[in-house]
Amino acid sequence: MGQAPVVYGQSDRPPRGDYSRANSDYTCAQDYAAYTEADHDTYRRLYARQKALLPGLASQAFIDALPSLGAEDRIPRFEDINARLKAATGWEIVAVPGLIPEVPFFSLLANRQFPVTDWIRKPEEFDYVVEPDIFHDLFGHVPLLFNPVIADFIQAYGQGGLRASELGACELLSRVYWYTIEFGLIREAGGVRAYGAGILSSSGELAYSVTSPEPHRLPLQLERAMRTRYKIDTYQQTYFVIDSMQQLLDFAATDFAPLYEKLREQPTIAANALLPGETTLAP
């Protein structure tokens, strides 16, 4: 029967992906035979470009984990990745036709299953694709699932997401995901580095997020991140910086329910705002 497509934000066209293939939990089989040689070439070129940009910009934890992703010259088979990933952290990746609703997304994460879109962008979208494709999901997200701390944090986020859904607080929690797993920075010995998938899979934002004087870089505070709006169509104007991956797991142990109640009464903060007393961190 399949599922209905999902739309986040404003769009002039329906979401890409064949949702008629989706099971009740929105997962589907990776249709590996459907990939063309042009698709494999797009993946190879994207991988080579991003890999070359990583030194001095990406978190060392990400650089160390990237080889575990496997094939660089063609789209990898999910079962090949899963053989390594399950042994490392007990996670597996599952194919989905595109964006999926919040509760099914949280449920998969809570069960250590990471949804990966199985289609790849067209050649003319090489530099920018509107929706996350297989390259963004595999290259940006999956390597750090081999890191035990991040693996535990993302599962805890999924569990917290299910609770947030019951409390009507998904928007507040989604900003934590955006400013950590998608667009997070970490301070390492060499300075600020990127660990967020949205940064790591972007050729332009990787250098911008780490080296540009334009954006605000702030120490990660949960309340500040939950109140801060974000950009979906430009580079971020604010990034939040952690001191260690363990800091994320420590945050996940917080009882968010009182925080949600407190923040419902607080105004949101513009994506480019710097509050009185705040000082941006140097790159």
Side-chain angles (χ1 to χ4, degrees), residues 7 15 47 66 68 88 92 117 131 137 144 155 157 162 167 190 213 215 227 236 249 264 267 283:
V7 178
Y47 194 114
L66 183 60
S68 297
E92 65 177 340
T117 299
E131 300 164 45
D137 284 343
L144 282 179
Q155 180 183 29
Y157 180 86
L162 293 173
L167 296 170
R227 290 178 58 198
Q236 299 305 300
L249 201 51
R264 290 184 209 279

Side-chain angles (χ1 to χ4, degrees), residues 43 61-62 65-66 69 81 85 89 91-93 99 105 109 114-117 132-147 150-151 153-154 157 177-184 195-202:
Y43 184 88
F62 180 84
L66 183 60
L69 196 56
I81 295 174
L85 186 55
T89 59
W91 273 81
E92 65 177 340
I93 58 174
L99 294 170
F105 177 70
L109 297 187
F114 195 89
V116 173
T117 299
D133 70 341
I134 193 172
F135 178 75
H136 165 82
D137 284 343
L138 283 184
F139 188 95
H141 284 289
V142 174
L144 282 179
L145 288 174
F146 285 88
N147 179 290
I150 291 295
F153 170 67
I154 295 180
Y157 180 86
Y177 190 89
W178 187 267
Y179 281 120
T180 58
I181 297 305
E182 288 290 357
F183 290 94
Y195 71 90
I199 302 174
L200 292 165
S201 60
S202 168

Side-chain angles (χ1 to χ4, degrees), residues 2-262:
Q3 297 285 358
V6 179
V7 178
Y8 291 123
Q10 298 298 315
S11 177
D12 295 329
R13 60 174 178 76
R16 195 179 311 180
D18 181 6
Y19 285 79
S20 68
R21 301 164 50 217
N23 300 314
S24 60
D25 62 356
Y26 279 86
T27 64
C28 60
Q30 183 190 21
D31 189 2
Y32 198 82
Y35 300 129
T36 66
E37 285 306 311
D39 291 335
H40 290 299
D41 183 63
T42 296
Y43 184 88
R44 177 191 61 78
R45 292 187 296 119
L46 285 166
Y47 194 114
R49 179 176 69 173
Q50 288 306 115
K51 182 180 179 181
L53 295 173
L54 297 179
L57 298 175
S59 162
Q60 190 60 47
F62 180 84
I63 292 173
D64 291 344
L66 183 60
S68 297
L69 196 56
E72 301 182 22
D73 60 343
R74 59 197 302 104
I75 298 169
R77 295 180 183 272
F78 289 3
E79 59 261 32
D80 293 340
I81 295 174
N82 283 337
R84 297 184 293 273
L85 186 55
K86 284 184 179 180
T89 59
W91 273 81
E92 65 177 340
I93 58 174
V94 292
V96 291
L99 294 170
I100 67 175
E102 289 171 331
V103 171
F105 177 70
F106 295 145
S107 297
L108 289 172
L109 297 187
N111 288 287
R112 293 178 98 88
Q113 294 179 303
F114 195 89
V116 173
T117 299
D118 67 348
W119 54 261
I120 193 163
R121 69 194 70 181
K122 301 179 185 301
E124 60 267 26
E125 299 170 308
F126 190 81
D127 290 322
Y128 176 73
V129 62
V130 175
E131 300 164 45
D133 70 341
I134 193 172
F135 178 75
H136 165 82
D137 284 343
L138 283 184
F139 188 95
H141 284 289
V142 174
L144 282 179
L145 288 174
F146 285 88
N147 179 290
V149 176
I150 291 295
D152 287 349
F153 170 67
I154 295 180
Q155 180 183 29
Y157 180 86
Q159 295 166 339
L162 293 173
R163 292 191 292 272
S165 178
E166 296 172 353
L167 296 170
C170 286
E171 183 176 0
L172 293 171
L173 190 63
S174 71
R175 293 174 184 152
V176 175
Y177 190 89
W178 187 267
Y179 281 120
T180 58
I181 297 305
E182 288 290 357
F183 290 94
L185 298 177
I186 185 170
R187 184 166 293 283
E188 296 183 341
V192 171
R193 299 290 184 264
Y195 71 90
I199 302 174
L200 292 165
S201 60
S202 168
S203 62
E205 192 154 4
L206 182 54
Y208 170 87
S209 68
V210 173
T211 66
S212 173
E214 295 180 15
H216 304 311
R217 299 177 185 86
L218 302 173
L220 178 61
Q221 296 178 325
L222 282 178
E223 290 189 25
R224 177 64 157 92
M226 284 185 177
R227 290 178 58 198
T228 306
R229 296 195 295 271
Y230 53 80
K231 295 289 186 177
I232 63 171
D233 54 357
T234 65
Y235 293 164
Q236 299 305 300
Q237 296 169 306
T238 297
Y239 297 96
F240 290 95
V241 184
I242 59 175
D243 295 318
S244 70
M245 299 296 186
Q246 183 62 41
Q247 186 179 350
L248 295 176
L249 201 51
D250 293 342
F251 279 144
T254 302
D255 180 2
F256 281 18
L259 192 55
Y260 295 149
E261 287 304 311
K262 175 183 177 181

